[in-house]
Amino acid sequence: MNVRRRLIPAAAATAVTAAALGTLSACSSGSSAAVGNTDRFDVVASFYPMAFLAEQIGGDHVNVTSLTQPGQEPHDLEISAKQAAQLEETDAALYLKGLQPTVDEAIGQSGVRTKIDAATLTSLDHDAGGHGDEHGHDDDHGHDDGHSHSHDGQDPHVWLDPVKYAEIAEGVGKAFQKADPDHAADYKKNTEALVGKLNDLDAEFEAGLEHRKTDVFVTTHAAFGHLAARYGLTEEAINGLDPESEPSAARVKQLTETARADGVTTVFYETLISDRTAKTVARDAGLKTDVLDPLEGITDKSRGDDYFQVMESNLRSLQTALGAK
């Protein structure tokens, strides 16, 4: 659609030539279309949770391209010259500032008119919003030993909290309506439907985790702070910022003691990284392992084909690990 056209700066144009800019996949339709050359509203999304929102809200009116490819760890993304040029030709860029520094820089320097920062649409602080209070836990699950996953004191993994993800969806919907008013009614309708499904998912988590034997779960890296705060759980992360680093002997000992004290049964690992660390810690502590997916991308190893299916799989995994009935 390309509501507005911009000339690509000379440096970007040179980079495009060198990179042989071709066609991009249109996530919402499965066809191929170059950014800026479609009759739809073109959206460049930073990674899967943002692309999913764009597709669900935009429907047939949008052409969505993700900067992060399936199976690629989003924290490690480096923006290419080709992708920088794509940003100059898109109608909108949807990202979550603080998660991918190179994306933040590229979008900030681009001339795209509609820049939607999901981090401004909800709170990045851990707050239970009233759900977890009855369990008597503090909302701050950070650790003094450096195992809290946060950026500038805030945690960007807000999409794992259905309530906060719904808040972001509402903001994205309004941004789409403003940027592409011809389809505003459909964007509004789609947003309301998506928010309704997210509210249902929240209720499912609340009910599914209500009667549990323990509140503590162990993960390879601290991506689940918002989810933990929402439902009154406590996340113990092995590695914090770097999900593939080796934990110290002291940290393994600490986790072993925590597991014994709090009835922990499982060490969770992720689909996009090796399970070696989780299995090592689990073996030393006499625990099982299972997948708790931070939903940073969907691959053929994911336990589901989209956000909702994977989140429901996460709920089942948590119920088993926490002894929920």
Side-chain angles (χ1 to χ4, degrees):
M1 176 181 177
N2 205 24
V3 173
R4 60 96 189 93
R5 287 279 184 223
R6 292 182 57 88
L7 294 176
I8 301 177
T14 300
V16 171
T17 301
L21 179 60
T23 59
L24 303 169
S25 81
C27 298
S28 58
S29 67
S31 61
S32 294
V35 167
N37 292 320
T38 75
D39 59 357
R40 291 180 290 174
F41 184 60
D42 292 313
V43 181
V44 171
S46 56
F47 72 129
Y48 175 75
M50 299 299 102
F52 183 75
L53 285 182
E55 293 164 7
Q56 294 295 303
I57 294 169
D60 293 336
H61 301 306
V62 298
N63 173 58
V64 182
T65 302
S66 178
L67 293 173
T68 307
Q69 300 305 307
Q72 182 178 17
E73 220 292 324
H75 298 275
D76 299 334
L77 179 67
E78 295 290 338
I79 295 296
S80 67
K82 174 181 176 179
Q83 291 173 320
Q86 292 165 6
L87 287 170
E88 296 297 333
E89 284 295 289
T90 191
D91 296 312
L94 175 56
Y95 68 116
L96 202 163
K97 189 174 183 179
L99 185 79
Q100 298 168 288
T102 61
V103 172
D104 299 346
E105 182 179 4
I107 292 177
Q109 294 178 353
S110 75
V112 59
R113 179 176 298 175
T114 300
K115 300 176 182 179
I116 310 169
D117 176 9
T120 66
L121 303 176
T122 190
S123 169
L124 298 188
D125 295 324
H126 293 161
D127 57 87
H131 266 352
D133 297 347
E134 65 191 52
H135 300 284
H137 295 283
D138 294 332
D139 293 334
D140 181 5
H141 299 297
H143 301 282
D144 293 336
D145 54 8
H147 297 280
S148 177
H149 191 327
S150 63
H151 298 257
D152 297 328
Q154 296 180 311
D155 183 353
H157 300 83
V158 286
W159 63 91
L160 293 169
D161 176 349
V163 175
K164 292 190 175 185
Y165 199 41
E167 293 173 351
I168 294 173
E170 290 176 338
V172 172
K174 291 177 182 177
F176 280 18
Q177 293 169 48
K178 181 178 180 180
D180 184 20
D182 289 347
H183 302 112
D186 285 343
Y187 295 149
K188 186 175 187 293
K189 178 181 177 181
N190 292 345
T191 300
E192 290 173 350
L194 177 58
V195 169
K197 290 179 66 177
L198 288 168
N199 288 339
D200 290 344
L201 180 65
D202 170 49
E204 188 177 349
F205 264 80
E206 178 71 5
L209 296 174
E210 184 175 4
H211 302 291
R212 55 185 184 263
K213 295 180 179 179
T214 182
D215 298 332
V216 182
F217 64 100
V218 176
T219 62
T220 49
H221 100 285
F224 299 90
H226 287 291
L227 183 148
R230 177 63 57 189
Y231 304 109
L233 307 178
T234 298
E235 176 191 54
E236 289 288 350
I238 299 171
N239 294 324
L241 287 174
D242 184 358
E244 295 188 276
S245 65
E246 291 290 338
S248 66
R251 181 58 178 161
V252 173
K253 180 180 178 181
Q254 181 185 29
L255 288 171
T256 300
E257 293 173 350
T258 296
R260 290 171 180 167
D262 294 307
V264 174
T265 63
T266 307
V267 177
F268 288 113
Y269 63 93
E270 305 171 12
T271 55
L272 294 183
I273 63 174
S274 170
D275 62 359
R276 182 167 54 88
T277 298
K279 288 184 175 179
T280 298
V281 173
R283 183 181 65 246
D284 292 345
L287 305 176
K288 298 180 291 184
T289 60
D290 197 3
V291 171
L292 197 63
D293 196 329
L295 263 162
E296 294 176 344
I298 297 288
T299 70
D300 56 3
K301 295 182 180 180
S302 299
R303 295 181 176 179
D305 296 329
D306 65 14
Y307 173 86
F308 287 102
Q309 290 182 14
V310 175
M311 282 294 286
E312 287 170 355
S313 174
N314 282 344
L315 173 57
R316 291 191 294 271
S317 295
L318 283 170
Q319 287 175 310
T320 299
L322 301 177
K325 297 180 180 179

